[in-house]
C-alpha cells in the first residue's frame, strides 16, 4: 500500500495500535494485549464495515491529532473525548467521511478513559506473531512495540463510501465513576476464610493511581490469606490477585502470563470493559456469580451486539 492514511501530528497521552489480541503465545511468556474495552473497539470497527478485530487505535485519556492523507471513513467510540474534524465538533459513536487534507482532533476525556478510532479496512500494520496489538512492556506489535509519536505514519486504504452509520442512542454506554463487577470465584477462594470473603464482597474499593492495561490496583479493606507461599502459575484475564499488602489487583489485557499471588477469582470479561473506563479514584464493588451465569451473560451480550442494527445518520 503506497503512502499513508494518517500522519500523527500529536500523539496524545497514550495512543496504541490494537487488534483483537495476540492469541496462543502464553507458552512463550507473551501476553494477549488487545483492546482494554472490546465493546467500544468492536463498535468502532462495525461502524466502518470492518471485520471484528480489525486494527484500530486505542486512545487513552486523549490528546490525539491526525492529518488525513487519504479519503476514507472513520468512527470513534468509547470515552467521552470531544472530537472535531477541521475544527467542527462531531459526535462519537458514529462514522464520518474524511478527505485528504482534513485534520482530526481528539480532546481529553470528560468521562471514561479509552476511546477507539477505526478506519474503513483497518490500519495496514505488519502483524507480529499473528497480531498488530501493541504491548509496550514487551516492546511488541504496533509500531516498534511503542505508543504513537508525532510524525508516525499510519497507512490505510482509500474509501469513497460516504454513508454514515451510528450506534442507536439506547445502546451507547454511560461511563460512571462507580461500577459493580461480577466475579466467578476460583479454586483458591477457600484459602480466604469466611470473614475475609465477607469483607471483600461487602466492601467498596477505590481505583488507585497504579492502574493501566496490565492491572488495576485497588485501595480499601485489606485481605488476609491462609495460603502459604505458592508456585507461580498461569493467570487468566480478570484474575483478582491478593499480594502480601492485602490490596487486590485486577489483571487486565496486558497482564503477565504467570504469577504467584493467591486469587479470589476472576472478574467476568463483559465487566472488564467498564473497569477499563474507570479512572483513579473511581469506586469498585463486587458480587459473586456462577460460571454458568457468566457464560450466559457473555452469550447474551454477544447476541445483543449482533442484533443491534446501526442507524443511518
Amino acid at each position: 500500500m503506497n503512502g499513508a492514511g494518517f500522519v500523527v501530528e500529536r500523539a496524545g497521552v497514550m495512543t496504541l495500535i490494537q487488534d483483537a489480541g495476540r492469541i496462543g503465545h502464553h507458552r512463550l511468556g507473551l501476553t494477549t494485549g488487545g483492546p482494554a474495552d472490546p465493546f467500544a473497539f468492536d463498535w468502532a470497527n462495525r461502524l466502518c464495515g470492518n471485520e471484528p478485530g480489525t486494527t484500530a487505535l486505542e486512545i487513552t485519556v486523549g490528546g490525539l491529532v491526525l492529518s488525513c492523507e487519504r479519503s476514507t471513513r472513520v468512527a470513534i467510540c468509547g470515552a467521552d473525548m470531544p472530537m472535531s474534524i477541521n475544527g467542527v465538533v462531531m459526535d462519537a459513536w458514529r462514522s464520518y467521511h474524511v478527505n485528504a487534507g482534513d485534520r482530526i482532533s481528539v480532546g481529553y476525556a470528560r468521562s471514561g478513559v479509552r476511546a477507539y478510532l477505526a478506519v474503513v479496512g483497518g490500519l495496514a500494520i505488519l502483524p507480529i506473531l499473528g497480531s498488530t496489538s501493541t504491548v509496550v512492556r514487551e516492546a511488541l506489535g504496533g509500531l516498534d512495540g511503542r505508543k504513537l509519536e508525532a510524525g508516525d505514519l499510519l497507512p490505510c486504504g482509500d474509501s469513497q463510501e460516504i454513508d454514515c452509520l451510528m450506534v442507536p442512542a439506547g445502546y451507547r454506554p454511560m461511563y460512571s465513576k462507580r461500577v459493580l463487577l461480577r466475579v466467578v470465584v476460583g479454586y483458591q477462594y477457600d484459602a480466604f476464610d469466611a470473614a475475609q470473603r465477607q469483607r471483600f464482597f461487602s466492601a467498596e474499593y477505590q481505583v488507585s493511581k497504579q492502574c493501566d492495561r496490565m492491572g488495576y490496583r485497588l485501595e480499601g479493606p485489606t485481605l488476609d490469606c491462609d495460603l502459604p507461599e505458592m508456585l507461580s502459575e498461569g493467570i487468566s484475564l480478570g484474575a483478582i490477585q491478593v499480594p502480601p499488602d492485602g490490596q487486590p489487583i485486577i489483571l487486565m489485557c496486558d497482564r503477565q502470563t504467570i504469577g504467584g499471588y493467591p486469587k479470589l477469582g476472576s472478574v467476568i470479561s463483559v465487566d472488564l470493559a467498564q473497569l477499563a473506563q474507570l479512572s483513579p479514584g473511581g469506586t469498585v464493588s463486587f458480587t459473586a456469580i456462577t460460571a454458568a451465569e457468566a457464560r450466559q451473560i457473555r452469550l447474551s451480550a454477544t447476541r445483543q451486539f449482533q442484533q443491534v442494527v446501526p442507524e443511518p445518520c
Side-chain angles (χ1 to χ4, degrees):
M1 185 176 296
N2 296 322
F6 303 97
V7 177
V8 178
E9 291 187 19
R10 192 167 69 230
V13 175
M14 170 72 80
T15 304
L16 301 173
I17 293 167
Q18 297 293 343
D19 63 4
R22 192 166 285 104
I23 309 299
H25 298 289
H26 282 188
R27 69 187 185 281
L28 302 177
L30 300 177
T31 194
T32 306
D37 181 350
F39 180 81
F41 170 82
D42 288 344
W43 262 119
N45 271 315
R46 189 174 179 188
L47 293 177
C48 289
N50 295 338
E51 292 296 319
T54 298
T55 301
L57 296 180
E58 179 180 87
I59 308 163
T60 300
V61 179
L64 177 69
V65 179
L66 303 174
S67 60
C68 306
E69 293 191 342
R70 292 185 182 273
S71 296
T72 186
R73 186 156 50 108
V74 299
I76 187 167
C77 296
D80 180 14
M81 297 179 187
M83 184 184 78
S84 64
I85 299 176
N86 299 327
V88 179
V89 177
M90 304 293 182
D91 293 331
W93 299 95
R94 56 171 285 175
S95 61
Y96 295 94
H97 187 76
V98 292
N99 295 304
D102 285 349
R103 191 169 187 260
I104 301 172
S105 299
V106 181
Y108 295 95
R110 295 174 292 205
S111 67
V113 176
R114 296 175 170 89
Y116 295 84
L117 192 150
V119 57
V120 171
L123 297 172
I125 304 299
L126 180 67
I128 302 296
L129 293 174
S131 172
T132 62
S133 281
T134 308
V135 180
V136 174
R137 177 172 53 85
E138 295 173 351
L140 192 66
L143 299 181
D144 301 320
R146 57 170 172 78
K147 64 182 183 179
L148 294 192
E149 299 174 353
D152 283 338
L153 306 180
L154 303 174
C156 72
D158 286 312
S159 174
Q160 298 304 318
E161 298 179 48
I162 60 174
D163 293 339
C164 172
L165 297 174
M166 63 182 182
V167 180
Y171 295 94
R172 303 176 191 181
M174 300 294 291
Y175 299 120
S176 170
K177 294 183 179 180
R178 181 184 299 270
V179 298
L180 174 65
L181 302 176
R182 291 165 288 191
V183 175
V184 176
V185 301
Y187 75 94
Q188 291 161 357
Y189 181 68
D190 290 337
F192 298 84
D193 65 32
Q196 300 301 311
R197 299 195 296 260
Q198 172 66 22
R199 176 181 297 177
F200 175 73
F201 283 109
S202 63
E204 289 188 337
Y205 288 85
Q206 278 66 53
V207 175
S208 78
K209 293 181 179 180
Q210 295 177 283
C211 60
D212 56 20
R213 288 175 46 86
M214 184 174 179
Y216 269 49
R217 184 180 291 271
L218 306 181
E219 296 175 340
T222 58
L223 302 172
D224 295 321
C225 180
D226 296 332
L227 195 67
E229 290 187 11
M230 52 181 285
L231 295 175
S232 292
E233 59 185 12
I235 295 181
S236 67
L237 178 66
I240 306 169
Q241 284 190 330
V242 180
D245 67 3
Q247 297 293 302
I249 304 170
I250 303 174
L251 299 180
M252 305 294 280
C253 49
D254 282 4
R255 67 199 178 278
Q256 70 273 27
T257 57
I258 61 173
Y261 296 142
K263 295 168 286 295
L264 279 158
S266 293
V267 175
I268 66 172
S269 58
V270 170
D271 288 355
L272 289 176
Q274 298 180 59
L275 181 61
Q277 296 289 1
L278 203 59
S279 56
T283 300
V284 174
S285 57
F286 301 91
T287 188
I289 64 172
T290 66
E293 289 171 327
R295 285 192 292 271
Q296 187 57 50
I297 291 167
R298 175 71 177 181
L299 287 172
S300 296
T302 301
R303 189 178 302 117
Q304 183 185 68
F305 176 79
Q306 293 171 342
Q307 291 175 346
V308 176
V309 179
E311 298 178 348
C313 301

